[in-house]
Amino acid sequence: MTETSTSDTRERLIAAAADLIASAPGEDFSLRAVCDAVGVKMPTLYHFFGSKQGLIEAVIEHGFDLYLAEKKSMEWSGDPIQDIRAGWDAHVAFGLTNPGFYTLMYGKVRPGYSPEAQSRPSAILLSLTERAAEQGRLVVSPEQAAAHILVTNIGVTLRQIILAAPDPALSAAVREGAIAAITGVGVPTNNPLAAAIEIAAAYPDILGKSETQLLVKWLRTLSTNQQS
């Protein structure tokens, strides 16, 4: 078997398992069915993955590849808090469109274990909260902010998958609550400029994207000069 055909067989096994998982979200799948779909014997599957768990982890990796490909195609605003909002909505949309993948990626809980692939989107989120912290827009650490956003994002997505009913109003309400918790918006503050920045970033459609970015830049400059 050539290197190319070996790689192709492995990818076809992952694709077959992914198709079975997608067709029956939350249900178990048969290794025999995966092998039959590809036209190989069980020893071939074990050669590539070692066990059923090994195949599942390869499918999880495949799911994160799909998820991150969608993330990369997103149009980022350049404003970290607004991009957290956009990332939240993309996360929920991916889960509702791909419930089979999503429940493997985030819904299968085993104490002390998390798929290695989870670290990739988590790193993107942490980079956004770190930028927000650099701009003085967080009331918690970047690590705590990222964790807060991630766990609430996963929770609201799993709830909608379990109920098999999209609930955009719930998602938006939980999203804004999570963002308020990490930015302090809605909490009495002696820094009205910081509050104005978050309000402007939350509603970019009112002034327009370019105008909002310019306004936030001006407000941030005023806030920085006020503190110096």
Side-chain angles (χ1 to χ4, degrees):
M1 186 179 290
T2 66
E3 183 176 342
T4 300
S5 63
T6 296
S7 176
D8 181 63
T9 300
R10 184 180 186 278
E11 293 305 314
R12 288 193 296 128
L13 285 165
I14 293 173
D19 287 343
L20 289 172
I21 291 167
S23 65
E27 301 293 329
D28 197 9
F29 66 95
S30 161
L31 293 184
R32 178 67 61 190
V34 173
C35 291
D36 289 345
V38 178
V40 300
K41 302 295 185 182
M42 289 285 284
T44 301
L45 185 147
Y46 283 108
H47 166 73
F48 287 115
F49 305 105
S51 65
K52 186 172 186 176
Q53 183 59 35
L55 175 59
I56 289 173
E57 289 179 1
V59 174
I60 290 173
E61 184 81 26
H62 177 63
F64 276 105
D65 286 342
L66 294 177
Y67 175 50
L68 290 172
E70 291 188 7
K71 283 269 191 181
K72 288 179 181 177
S73 67
M74 287 173 53
E75 182 179 350
W76 299 96
S77 71
D79 179 275
I81 301 299
Q82 187 59 21
D83 286 340
I84 287 172
R85 284 188 175 88
W88 175 292
D89 293 341
H91 183 110
V92 172
F94 178 86
L96 296 181
T97 303
N98 304 278
F101 279 134
Y102 192 87
T103 52
L104 276 183
M105 292 160 63
Y106 289 110
K108 298 291 185 182
V109 178
R110 205 162 79 223
Y113 166 80
S114 63
E116 185 179 347
Q118 282 186 3
S119 64
R120 292 189 285 157
S122 294
I124 295 174
L125 176 57
L126 181 59
S127 71
L128 292 175
T129 57
E130 286 175 339
R131 284 178 51 209
E134 289 168 1
Q135 296 174 5
R137 297 169 67 183
L138 298 184
V139 293
V140 296
S141 71
E143 293 76 15
Q144 185 178 341
H148 193 105
I149 294 295
L150 182 60
V151 296
T152 49
N153 205 176
I154 292 171
V156 80
T157 304
L158 286 174
R159 175 177 171 79
Q160 292 175 86
I161 290 174
I162 290 168
L163 297 179
D167 192 340
L170 171 69
S171 181
V174 177
R175 182 194 67 208
E176 293 309 307
I179 289 175
I182 66 173
T183 61
V185 172
V187 177
T189 176
N190 59 1
N191 189 344
L193 288 174
I197 288 171
E198 301 312 326
I199 293 171
Y203 303 101
D205 294 335
I206 294 178
L207 297 178
K209 180 180 175 181
S210 298
E211 290 79 2
T212 299
Q213 289 177 342
L214 183 58
L215 175 60
V216 168
K217 181 179 178 181
W218 286 343
L219 289 171
R220 194 176 300 134
T221 299
L222 285 171
S223 181
T224 301
N225 289 339
Q226 184 186 57
Q227 296 169 10
S228 61

